[in-house]
């Protein structure tokens, strides 16, 4: 049985090296070149992409640095086990989205967010300063002013999450910004909160995070962040096997 696949359209790319790297990465991620398999020889790849050996070599260096491949003398270039891939790398996450991600991948992104972002909200509530709270309010205002299906809404949403991570005072939490960005962009491309009730819920739950941070209530800030993440999962159908929980904002939230 195969997993349901959601395809995220590719964007524009600026150079042959970037294009070759992206194409090979997506071929690896999608299973065209399975884990443990050998890639075609350099001469074949150069011909396939109509690029020089120099361009191909740079692409291979990039893929190797991200943990996707390993080159061995007299053997060739082999695809590494998925467990060796650097899944926190922003490019690798983006390539997964372009390759067509399964619901499981989206749940995995949400699981990482659930492990980190509620704690970031707690710390932000404990370490809050007026300037940071004011900056969060600006992001909320930008969300409220934008159409909920627009890029501006998504960008303001992301900006708020990154400000909360920064307000935690923990640089490691800010460093998972690529994961948060990928999850939010995937969520909005799959199912933006177009319906009025969805928009209202998104604004309400995000506002609850900032209210709790401003009030210095870490528990409420963490709960509100969980509500936000689980609501996003519900919208694009990446339902988690976690048990139901009761939201502070009213009603039962089903992951």
């Amino acid at each position: 049985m195969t997993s349901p696949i959601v395809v995220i359209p590719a964007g524009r790319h600026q150079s042959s090296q970037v294009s070759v790297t992206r194409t090979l990465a997506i071929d690896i991620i999608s299973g065209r070149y399975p884990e443990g398999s050998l890639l075609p020889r350099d001469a074949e790849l150069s011909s396939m992409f109509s690029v020089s050996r120099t361009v191909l070599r740079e692409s291979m260096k990039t893929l190797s640095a991200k943990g996707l491949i390993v080159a061995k003398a007299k053997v060739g270039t082999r695809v590494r086990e998925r467990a060796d891939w650097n899944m926190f790398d922003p490019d690798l996450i983006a390539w997964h989205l372009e390759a067509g991600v399964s619901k499981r991948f989206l749940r995995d992104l949400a699981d990482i967010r659930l492990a980190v972002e509620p704690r970031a909200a707690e710390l932000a509530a404990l370490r809050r300063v007026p300037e940071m709270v004011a900056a969060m309010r600006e992001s909320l205002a930008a969300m409220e002013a934008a159409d909920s299906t627009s890029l501006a809404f998504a960008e303001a949403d992301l900006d708020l999450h990154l400000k909360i991570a920064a307000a935690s005072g923990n640089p490691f939490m800010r460093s998972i910004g690529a994961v948060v960005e990928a999850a939010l962009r995937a969520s909005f491309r799959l199912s933006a909160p177009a319906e009025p009730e969805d928009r209202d819920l998104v604004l309400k739950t995000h506002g609850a995070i900032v209210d709790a941070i401003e009030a210095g209530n870490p528990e409420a800030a963490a709960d509100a962040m969980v509500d936000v993440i689980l609501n996003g999962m519900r919208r694009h159908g990446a339902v988690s096997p976690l048990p139901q929980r009761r939201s502070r904002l009213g009603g039962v939230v089903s992951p």
Side-chain angles (χ1 to χ4, degrees), residues 91-112:
D91 289 332
L92 191 51
I93 295 173
W95 292 329
H96 270 86
L97 297 181
E98 290 187 40
V101 296
S102 67
K103 300 294 186 182
R104 173 61 185 272
F105 182 79
L106 295 174
R107 287 199 302 269
D108 288 344
L109 281 176
D111 285 343
I112 290 296

Side-chain angles (χ1 to χ4, degrees), residues 21-30 33-37 39 59-71 77-87 89 91-93 95-96:
T21 304
R22 169 186 165 272
T23 301
L24 284 173
I26 291 175
D27 283 346
I28 291 169
I29 291 165
S30 64
Y33 300 121
E35 298 170 55
S37 67
L39 295 182
S59 292
M60 292 301 187
K61 285 181 181 178
T62 299
L63 295 175
S64 178
K66 296 177 187 298
L68 290 174
I69 61 173
V70 59
T77 302
R78 189 178 299 278
V79 177
R80 299 181 67 181
E81 300 277 338
R82 190 173 292 264
D84 295 325
W85 299 359
N86 180 10
M87 294 302 297
D89 181 90
D91 289 332
L92 191 51
I93 295 173
W95 292 329
H96 270 86

